[in-house]
Amino acid sequence: MTALILNLSPTIELTDEQFFQVCQNNRDLRLERTAEGELIIMPPTGWESGNRNSRLTQRLGNWTDADGTGLAFDSSTGFKLPNGANRSPDASWVSRKRLKTLNPDPDRFLPLAPDFAVELRSASDSLKTVQQKMQEYIENGVRLGWLIDPHQQVEIYRPGQEVEVLRSPTSLSGEDVLPGFVLDLTQILS
């Protein structure tokens, strides 16, 4: 099953509040909105992708708890990017310092791009679409992004740099964005 894209424009232009309410009224759906206002309805993943994503989120969460400088988020967290898109990375992290200066409503989407974002490609994801999403994250302020393709490839996204492609890596470094975080890719890559 692939994602469904609803192009509502110009007939319907959802405000941020209306989009939030659509998400609240349809909690069983995973919804995103592009900067152009298209609604993306993403299908649930298969059990293997779900297990990989759980391990990824767990490892990021464990490091976050030990480090204490930020908060980790799973794929159910919505971010309102500066370009107007509403996105939900598979895993992400935001520094406490940024959150404190913003003082966002905890019951709403975070009105910023995370410092760090990960997309774990599932069988239903088009590689090109996920690569475009990663570029969008970087263009909107994400400082480090990983596109993990379980078929032994990882793409690393950084602002102002070419995408780095790693084949069959055993681990990934959080670099200066997540100092000391090393993601062991055992049980995440097939």
Side-chain angles (χ1 to χ4, degrees):
M1 185 190 296
T2 59
L4 298 175
I5 299 175
L6 298 175
N7 186 353
L8 303 175
S9 182
T11 308
I12 299 171
E13 301 279 339
L14 292 177
T15 66
D16 290 344
E17 179 61 29
Q18 289 169 326
F19 176 70
F20 181 80
Q21 289 305 318
V22 167
C23 293
Q24 298 308 298
N25 294 340
N26 296 279
R27 290 183 178 269
D28 292 338
L29 297 177
R30 185 164 173 221
L31 300 172
E32 289 187 338
R33 180 171 59 162
T34 67
E36 295 75 34
E38 297 169 323
L39 289 185
I40 302 170
I41 304 169
M42 295 175 300
T45 63
W47 66 266
E48 189 173 44
S49 288
N51 180 261
R52 287 180 174 139
N53 199 61
S54 173
R55 291 177 184 284
L56 170 65
T57 303
Q58 174 191 17
R59 292 172 188 175
L60 178 60
N62 289 345
W63 175 84
T64 299
D65 288 347
D67 177 71
T69 62
L71 297 177
F73 302 96
D74 69 7
S75 61
S76 65
T77 305
F79 291 88
K80 172 72 173 182
L81 302 181
N83 72 349
N86 293 93
R87 297 294 190 175
S88 299
D90 289 325
S92 55
W93 182 90
V94 176
S95 75
R96 287 184 187 276
K97 185 177 180 180
R98 286 181 69 210
L99 288 171
K100 187 175 181 179
T101 60
L102 191 61
N103 194 26
D105 182 341
D107 297 323
R108 299 294 191 163
F109 302 139
L110 273 171
L112 52 74
D115 294 288
F116 171 71
V118 182
E119 288 291 341
L120 180 60
R121 184 176 177 216
S122 66
S124 64
D125 291 331
S126 149
L127 179 59
K128 181 180 178 184
T129 299
V130 183
Q131 288 170 327
Q132 290 170 338
K133 188 188 283 191
M134 294 303 298
Q135 278 303 141
E136 180 180 46
Y137 289 151
I138 295 299
E139 291 167 3
N140 280 273
V142 168
R143 297 171 40 218
L144 177 64
W146 296 340
L147 168 51
I148 301 175
D149 188 330
H151 302 291
Q152 305 298 321
Q153 178 173 303
V154 175
E155 295 181 8
I156 301 174
Y157 291 76
R158 302 172 186 96
Q161 296 182 34
E162 291 293 317
V163 175
E164 181 180 0
V165 179
L166 303 176
R167 306 230 188 275
S168 301
T170 57
S171 63
L172 296 171
S173 166
E175 303 177 4
D176 63 341
V177 178
L178 306 172
F181 178 54
V182 176
L183 176 65
D184 177 359
L185 290 169
T186 303
Q187 300 172 321
I188 294 175
L189 291 181
S190 53

